[in-house]
């Protein structure tokens, strides 16, 4: 078994163990908070509920569980900061925050994303997550931050007897979560898929329809040169991209957006995609004996 395969198999367990550390450190930190018993109990039980759902999401790697993990695990960071600010002992607060930051970094890493999406692959598919466009990622982070603030503060305000504002925040968090989930989940469903018969660009954030390229249509796949004139299907996303050149022009349909409410049909001879690990994606393309370089 290759070293990379060993790392990929170990990563889910590293994430799970780090999540256990979050629970242990978080429990000690919350116990040290100087607050009323109802507020402290609500913090304990609320944190336990989120942690348990996180465990369930980590149990079976899949595309859906990747979205759940990347939504829930980072909640521990503001929770740890809030516990420390609310009077948790300095050592316990620091351990809680450190464990939360480490778990968040692991779950948001490209390698963990690769493991989770590949676990849902069909047959001979080799899925490679695509990097998110910065503008879309910023919108997701802002929405997540607002929802997390309401999710944490709402129940605590209810426990403190402030029913009106606490109830309103809980209701808004629930409604906002229903609205936000499909938008968060879209980031987990953006892949370059290497299959025996060619390549598939599955990205409904950029494309209205999946772009499928048969082996005979592909002229080459390479790291994109700086002066490329290929159609940008990355979002756009920052960092290195792969350039896929085709033998004859193919049709792609861009997704609807503010500037193109009905989408747009383009004919391209080359396209750019941005896997989170372009080197691994290129190696996979070469491994399927598709033209590289």
């Amino acid at each position: 078994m290759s070293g990379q395969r060993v790392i990929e198999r170990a990563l889910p367990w590293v994430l799970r163990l780090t999540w256990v550390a979050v629970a242990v450190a978080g429990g000690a930190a919350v116990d040290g908070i100087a607050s009323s018993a109802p507020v402290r109990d609500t913090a304990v039980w609320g944190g336990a509920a989120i942690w348990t759902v996180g465990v369930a999401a980590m149990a079976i790697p899949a595309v859906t569980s990747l979205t759940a993990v990347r939504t829930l695990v980072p909640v521990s960071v503001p929770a740890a900061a809030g516990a420390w600010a609310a009077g948790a002992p300095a050592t316990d607060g620091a351990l809680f925050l450190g464990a939360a930051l480490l778990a968040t970094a692991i779950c948001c890493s490209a390698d963990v994303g690769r493991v989770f999406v590949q676990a849902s692959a069909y047959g001979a598919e080799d899925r490679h997550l695509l990097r998110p466009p910065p503008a879309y990622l910023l919108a997701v982070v802002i929405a997540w931050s607002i929802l997390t603030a309401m999710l944490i503060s709402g129940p605590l305000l209810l426990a403190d007897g402030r029913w009106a504002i606490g109830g309103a925040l809980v209701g808004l968090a629930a409604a906002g979560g229903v609205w936000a989930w499909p938008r968060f989940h879209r980031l987990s469903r953006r892949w370059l898929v290497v299959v025996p018969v060619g390549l598939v660009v599955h990205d409904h954030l950029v494309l209205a329809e999946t772009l499928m390229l048969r082996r005979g249509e592909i002229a080459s796949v390479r790291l994109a040169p700086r002066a490329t004139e290929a159609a940008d299907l990355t979002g756009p996303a920052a960092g290195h991209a792969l350039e896929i050149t085709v033998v004859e022009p193919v049709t792609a349909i861009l997704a609807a957006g503010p500037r193109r409410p009905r989408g747009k049909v383009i004919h391209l001879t080359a396209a750019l995609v941005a896997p989170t690990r372009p080197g691994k994606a290129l190696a996979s393309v070469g491994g399927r004996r598709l033209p590289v370089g």
Side-chain angles (χ1 to χ4, degrees), residues 227-240:
T228 180
E229 296 183 358
D232 191 347
L233 304 183
T234 68
H240 294 294

Side-chain angles (χ1 to χ4, degrees), residues 31 38 44 59 63 78 95-96 113 122 127 148 170-171 194 203-204 262:
D31 283 343
V44 170
V63 175
L95 289 174
F96 186 13
Y122 297 107
R127 296 178 178 178
T148 299
V170 169
V194 185
D203 183 4
H204 295 307
R262 296 184 179 180

Side-chain angles (χ1 to χ4, degrees), residues 124-140:
E125 285 185 348
D126 192 12
R127 296 178 178 178
H128 298 267
L129 265 176
L130 301 176
R131 286 196 304 277
Y136 191 89
L137 182 60
L138 177 61
V140 166

Side-chain angles (χ1 to χ4, degrees), residues 10-11 36 75 86 144 193 227 242 246 270 283 291:
L11 274 174
S36 65
V75 173
W144 176 89
V193 188
L242 297 185
V246 293

Side-chain angles (χ1 to χ4, degrees), residues 192 199 213 218-232 234 240-246 269-275 278 282 285 291-293:
L192 171 67
L199 297 174
L213 301 172
I218 301 169
S220 68
V221 183
R222 61 175 180 170
L223 286 174
R226 185 180 297 274
T228 180
E229 296 183 358
D232 191 347
T234 68
H240 294 294
L242 297 185
E243 181 187 70
I244 305 170
T245 305
V246 293
T269 56
L272 298 179
V273 294
L282 199 58
V285 171
V292 173

Side-chain angles (χ1 to χ4, degrees), residues 138-174:
L138 177 61
V140 166
V141 170
I142 291 172
W144 176 89
S145 299
I146 294 171
L147 289 172
T148 299
M150 294 190 293
L151 177 66
I152 293 175
S153 60
L156 296 179
L157 289 170
L158 286 174
D160 197 39
R162 287 181 270 186
W163 307 105
I165 186 171
L169 289 176
V170 169
L172 287 171

Side-chain angles (χ1 to χ4, degrees), residues 171-252:
L172 287 171
V178 172
W179 171 86
W181 172 263
R183 291 159 176 82
F184 294 172
H185 190 46
R186 192 173 292 176
L187 292 177
S188 299
R189 301 187 72 251
R190 303 178 64 243
W191 321 309
L192 171 67
V193 188
V194 185
V195 294
V197 296
L199 297 174
V200 177
V201 182
H202 182 281
D203 183 4
H204 295 307
L205 183 62
V206 175
L207 296 169
E209 296 182 4
T210 298
L211 178 62
M212 294 179 284
L213 301 172
R214 299 180 186 276
R215 178 182 293 271
E217 295 176 310
I218 301 169
S220 68
V221 183
R222 61 175 180 170
L223 286 174
R226 185 180 297 274
T228 180
E229 296 183 358
D232 191 347
L233 304 183
T234 68
H240 294 294
L242 297 185
E243 181 187 70
I244 305 170
T245 305
V246 293
V247 176
E248 296 180 351
V250 297
T251 300

Side-chain angles (χ1 to χ4, degrees), residues 28-75:
V30 173
D31 283 343
I33 293 175
S35 63
S36 65
V39 171
R40 188 166 54 251
D41 290 344
T42 299
V44 170
W45 287 106
I50 292 174
W51 185 84
T52 302
V53 176
V55 169
M58 294 175 193
I60 303 177
V63 175
T64 301
S65 57
L66 176 63
T67 303
V69 165
R70 287 183 167 178
T71 301
L72 291 172
V73 169
V75 173

